[in-house]
Amino acid sequence: MKHGSFKIICLIIWACIAVFSAYGQSPTVSLESRILESFNGDDDAPYKWKTQASRFISVVRDADGEAVQDSSGNPQKYPVTTFVDAWPIAVFGYARDPNAAPIRSLGIRGQFDRRGYNWIDLYPVLADDADEKPFEIPIPGRVHNMDVWVWGSNLRYYIEVFVRDYRGVIHTLRLGDIAFPGWRNLRVSIPGNITQNRRTLPSYAGLSFVKFRIWTQPVERVDNFYIYFKQLKILTDTFDLLFDGNDLADPDHVDRLWSRN
């Protein structure tokens, strides 16, 4: 009987040690807030931003109701984008030094011919790409959340963000509704089921930003609306575990080593 009690006490002590050890060891992280895109329209910006819309997008017309022609002589269609001298005061304040660099935001003007679940995609292309092929922005580190400042007109629209994992799978995350007046910061957390690590080396498997998608809803008007974007940011873990031979898990370093043979 005494021997059995002794075994039970030992098991309890062992379980307590295991629990305290598990809670006492926290993974090392190095969280950083980084601006992925400023939406400032600078001449040296690495990306340009393009749009694509669903089928019922309207034709742009002048004051006389005539269709505006694009550079190819075809009717120009919405959405129209430009950079405007506007910004969220909560971030940049009211007064601006006239000698300082300008602060701008990306504006989208849209219009559809009918209500429904219409959409507008906003995606990046490399600034020096004459073909303007969609380009996915690499996201550094293991991202925890993303946020962007959006100006809305209190319309019942919502915005999604698309990210791609290392396996090529695109994940759609609902960034939030824009049924509010003025500027607001929209934020989305990256769920744990979107993997950003491999079991084998190299273990880092970062995500890439694909695009934003703006959705209209059947209950809301779709004539002549405006939406503005400013400062896409991420909160990301940039900690990199060092170990003996960690350079051999760097694909670029491995390519250099093997290219000598």
Side-chain angles (χ1 to χ4, degrees):
M1 184 70 178
K2 292 182 179 179
H3 183 67
S5 299
F6 177 76
K7 290 177 64 178
I8 293 174
I9 293 173
C10 290
L11 287 173
I12 293 174
I13 294 174
W14 178 84
C16 291
I17 293 173
V19 169
F20 285 124
S21 298
Y23 280 97
Q25 296 176 355
S26 58
T28 303
V29 296
S30 178
L31 293 179
E32 297 183 20
S33 178
R34 295 192 182 185
I35 297 176
L36 203 61
E37 169 60 32
S38 67
F39 292 114
N40 209 59
D42 298 324
D43 293 337
D44 59 349
Y47 315 113
K48 295 185 293 185
W49 290 86
K50 298 296 179 181
T51 55
Q52 184 178 2
S54 54
R55 60 180 297 187
F56 297 119
I57 197 70
S58 300
V59 172
V60 179
R61 300 185 182 278
D62 59 23
D64 298 324
E66 299 295 327
V68 176
Q69 306 296 311
D70 61 19
S71 58
S72 302
N74 300 315
Q76 182 180 350
K77 291 189 175 183
Y78 290 100
V80 178
T81 61
T82 189
F83 289 94
V84 299
D85 295 324
W87 56 83
I89 293 173
V91 180
F92 300 99
Y94 286 93
R96 299 301 307 165
D97 183 351
N99 298 319
I103 297 179
R104 292 183 287 263
S105 300
L106 176 62
I108 299 176
R109 181 183 181 185
Q111 181 169 304
F112 289 93
D113 291 334
R114 62 179 68 179
R115 296 186 183 191
Y117 287 108
N118 306 295
W119 53 262
I120 294 175
D121 282 352
L122 177 66
Y123 61 92
V125 301
L126 289 174
D128 57 358
D129 182 7
D131 296 329
E132 297 186 340
K133 299 185 299 292
F135 176 78
E136 298 179 8
I137 302 176
I139 301 177
R142 296 167 178 85
V143 62
H144 284 217
N145 58 56
M146 306 177 69
D147 71 90
V148 64
W149 285 87
V150 178
W151 187 95
S153 299
N154 212 20
L155 296 168
R156 296 184 186 91
Y157 300 168
Y158 63 92
I159 301 178
E160 295 174 334
V161 59
F162 289 56
V163 296
R164 189 189 301 271
D165 66 23
Y166 78 97
R167 297 169 298 180
V169 178
I170 293 180
H171 303 271
T172 305
L173 306 174
R174 182 150 174 162
L175 188 60
D177 298 338
I178 59 172
F180 53 81
W183 290 100
R184 184 172 295 183
N185 186 252
L186 300 182
R187 179 186 302 268
V188 63
S189 297
I190 308 301
N193 66 318
I194 299 180
T195 180
Q196 300 184 63
N197 285 292
R198 299 184 184 93
R199 180 183 58 82
T200 58
L201 297 178
S203 61
Y204 171 68
L207 305 178
S208 61
F209 170 87
V210 179
K211 63 184 176 182
F212 290 112
R213 173 165 286 183
I214 304 165
W215 282 97
T216 73
Q217 299 195 62
V219 296
E220 190 57 271
R221 67 176 184 85
V222 291
D223 60 308
N224 197 32
F225 58 86
Y226 297 84
I227 300 172
Y228 301 89
F229 287 81
K230 184 63 181 174
Q231 202 174 78
L232 171 61
K233 292 195 306 179
I234 58 171
L235 182 65
T236 186
D237 177 15
T238 58
F239 178 77
D240 193 8
L241 179 65
L242 299 180
F243 50 88
D244 189 359
N246 66 288
D247 55 340
L248 294 177
D250 180 359
D252 293 334
H253 181 67
V254 172
D255 287 343
R256 287 192 296 270
L257 290 176
W258 285 79
S259 66
R260 299 170 185 171
N261 298 325

